[in-house]
Amino acid sequence: MDSIAYYSKNANMMASNLIQKQRDFYIKLKRAKSLGRIKGFAMQVPFNLQEDFLDFRGGKVEDINYIADFVITLNSDEEIIVDTKGSKNTTEESARIKQKLLMYKDRELKIYFIAKLPKFLGDTWVDISKGYDFSGKLRNKYTRLNGKWKHGKPNWEVEDWKEYFEFDNIAGLFYIWKATKKVKKKKG
């Protein structure tokens, strides 16, 4: 992408203006880049979804753009798009529609909506794309194993959940839920 170099150059200046979630992930990306886990990243990258046009009355209809929080270049030279969200519930419908339009325009693009689930995974980022209620899955599994949900944080980390769920780890940045493992309830 031509715009990546421009946006990466200005990333330090833009970081101070980002909301908390974006800033947290930005810091994680800077660390990943310095450790060599990724080749690079760009912030606030615009994608044109539809050009402007004239309607039947001759009036201009504005173009539709999608601004990705981050475009990350993995060490394999694959580019992925990541948008940080507060939770599944804060992923607004317009963002989901724009995500679908961008995927339709370029079906090879990998676009992820990610969020932290502090009640279940502390500071770990997980994929919440497609409206998937991963926190509900975690809560249900915890309840089945322990009989009752304890209000507050169960203090489990991703490693604790790996016995019950299969994850993909994307460059040490975030996890994608793949499958639920069939595990019988522990007796005793």
Side-chain angles (χ1 to χ4, degrees):
M1 297 184 159
D2 297 343
S3 59
I4 288 181
Y6 171 78
Y7 286 95
S8 293
K9 186 173 83 173
N10 294 309
N12 287 331
M13 178 187 72
M14 291 174 61
S16 62
N17 298 327
L18 296 175
I19 61 172
Q20 181 71 34
K21 299 286 181 187
Q22 289 174 325
R23 191 175 72 232
D24 289 351
F25 197 68
Y26 168 79
I27 291 166
K28 188 171 184 103
L29 285 171
K30 279 187 73 164
R31 181 171 161 84
K33 186 170 190 259
S34 70
L35 293 173
R37 288 192 203 145
I38 61 172
K39 280 192 175 177
F41 67 93
M43 299 173 12
Q44 302 297 304
V45 180
F47 292 90
N48 185 268
L49 301 174
Q50 177 182 302
E51 301 294 329
D52 56 0
F53 62 94
L54 299 177
D55 67 11
F56 66 95
R57 293 183 189 105
K60 182 179 177 182
V61 176
E62 295 294 320
D63 58 351
I64 301 172
N65 292 301
Y66 171 77
I67 299 176
D69 289 346
F70 301 96
V71 175
I72 303 166
T73 305
L74 303 176
N75 286 335
S76 64
D77 287 328
E78 178 183 19
E79 288 187 336
I80 61 173
I81 297 169
V82 173
D83 266 336
T84 55
K85 301 296 177 188
S87 70
K88 179 187 99 138
N89 298 332
T90 61
T91 306
E92 62 279 353
E93 188 61 26
S94 65
R96 292 199 184 280
I97 290 170
K98 287 180 178 183
Q99 176 194 34
K100 289 175 187 176
L101 287 170
L102 185 57
M103 288 189 311
Y104 181 78
K105 193 171 181 178
D106 186 345
R107 297 180 190 202
E108 300 299 314
L109 280 177
K110 293 184 179 176
I111 305 170
Y112 300 100
F113 289 153
I114 63 170
K116 289 182 182 180
L117 303 176
K119 280 187 181 177
F120 304 101
L121 298 170
D123 281 342
T124 303
W125 291 90
V126 294
D127 175 39
I128 58 166
S129 298
K130 299 182 183 176
Y132 182 72
D133 185 11
F134 191 64
S135 60
K137 270 243 188 253
L138 294 173
R139 183 180 177 135
N140 290 341
K141 179 59 79 174
Y142 184 87
T143 303
R144 271 188 244 125
L145 293 170
N146 298 297
K148 185 177 181 187
W149 173 252
K150 295 177 185 173
H151 290 285
K153 185 177 169 184
N155 293 321
W156 285 16
E157 298 297 327
V158 170
E159 294 303 317
D160 300 314
W161 292 104
K162 282 186 177 178
E163 182 178 345
Y164 310 104
F165 298 100
E166 244 181 86
F167 298 97
D168 271 345
N169 185 337
I170 305 298
L173 298 172
F174 61 95
Y175 289 91
I176 300 173
W177 174 84
K178 284 177 57 176
T180 301
K181 298 178 181 177
K182 298 199 185 275
V183 177
K184 293 183 181 181
K185 185 176 177 180
K186 295 178 183 175
K187 293 181 181 179

